[in-house]
């Protein structure tokens, strides 16, 4: 099975974000659209977080070292044509304005199956730390073992 990815491309120059592609995503898409961010100025250093919002729905996603992230499915979870907003922040505190993404209505209808929500930024950070710290520590245990022992008073 071939997995295809579509990228919405953004460019940041200082605090200003702009859209660099002409794709118009269709609602109800999941695990298909990614965002790519090009950071043109030096103040965008350190861990970057992308913000995807539509109406009152807002999701934060960590941007990887290549400037990429999977766009949360909730961003596309709408029954009507709408406009989504994308922004980024990093450091202590570098922010950007918002870029707009037109989202077309889908012909797909919801089923009765519920989808788990996209992990929040804290869950993403913990998963990232667990991944980094999965290397065996000097004592012969993993970071998770050490964390469990500390919680149990050991």
């Amino acid at each position: 099975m071939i997995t295809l990815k579509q990228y919405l491309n953004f460019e940041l120059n200082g605090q200003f974000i702009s859209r660099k592609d002409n794709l118009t995503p269709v609602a109800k898409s999941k695990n298909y659209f990614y965002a790519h961010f090009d950071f043109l100025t030096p103040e965008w250093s350190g861990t970057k977080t992308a913000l995807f919002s539509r109406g009152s729905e807002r999701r934060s996603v960590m941007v990887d070292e290549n400037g990429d992230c999977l766009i949360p499915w909730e961003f596309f979870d709408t029954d009507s044509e709408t406009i989504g907003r994308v922004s980024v922040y990093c450091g202590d505190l570098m922010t950007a304005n918002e870029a707009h993404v037109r989202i077309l209505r889908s012909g797909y209808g919801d089923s009765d199956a519920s989808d788990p929500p996209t992990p929040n930024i804290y869950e993403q950070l913990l998963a990232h730390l667990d991944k980094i710290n999965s290397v065996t520590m000097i004592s012969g245990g993993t970071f998770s073992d050490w964390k469990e022992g500390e919680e149990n008073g050991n």
Side-chain angles (χ1 to χ4, degrees):
M1 183 167 125
I2 297 175
T3 303
L4 298 175
K5 297 179 183 178
Q6 286 290 324
Y7 282 87
L8 303 183
N9 293 298
F10 301 90
E11 183 176 270
L12 285 106
N13 191 352
Q15 289 188 289
F16 298 97
I17 187 171
S18 57
R19 185 94 185 270
K20 294 299 173 186
D21 65 80
N22 59 4
L23 292 174
T24 306
V26 175
K28 305 294 185 188
S29 298
K30 184 175 180 183
N31 298 328
Y32 178 59
F33 283 102
Y34 288 73
H36 175 78
F37 300 91
D38 287 317
F39 299 93
L40 304 180
T41 52
E43 61 270 3
W44 289 100
S45 62
T47 302
K48 298 165 196 70
T49 304
L51 301 168
F52 298 91
S53 50
R54 183 189 41 75
S56 63
E57 185 75 31
R58 179 177 283 239
R59 295 284 186 232
S60 301
V61 180
M62 290 176 54
V63 177
D64 71 16
E65 61 279 352
N66 298 317
D68 297 339
C69 66
L70 176 64
I71 299 175
W73 66 266
E74 294 92 343
F75 185 68
F76 301 110
D77 189 25
T78 180
D79 292 322
S80 61
E81 183 172 324
T82 189
I83 300 292
R85 299 175 317 277
V86 179
S87 189
V88 179
Y89 70 88
C90 80
D92 186 34
L93 179 64
M94 181 64 180
T95 63
N97 64 324
E98 295 177 323
H100 294 105
V101 176
R102 181 177 171 215
I103 302 169
L104 298 176
R105 182 175 185 207
S106 172
Y108 175 77
D110 286 334
S111 69
D112 58 358
S114 63
D115 292 315
T118 297
N120 67 34
I121 193 70
Y122 303 107
E123 293 166 332
Q124 292 173 50
L125 284 169
L126 287 173
H128 185 68
L129 285 174
D130 279 343
K131 182 177 161 188
I132 289 172
N133 292 311
S134 65
V135 176
T136 303
M137 299 179 71
I138 294 171
S139 66
T142 65
F143 178 73
S144 297
D145 295 335
W146 174 78
K147 190 167 57 173
E148 260 182 37
E150 191 173 83
E151 288 171 355
N152 294 331
N154 297 329

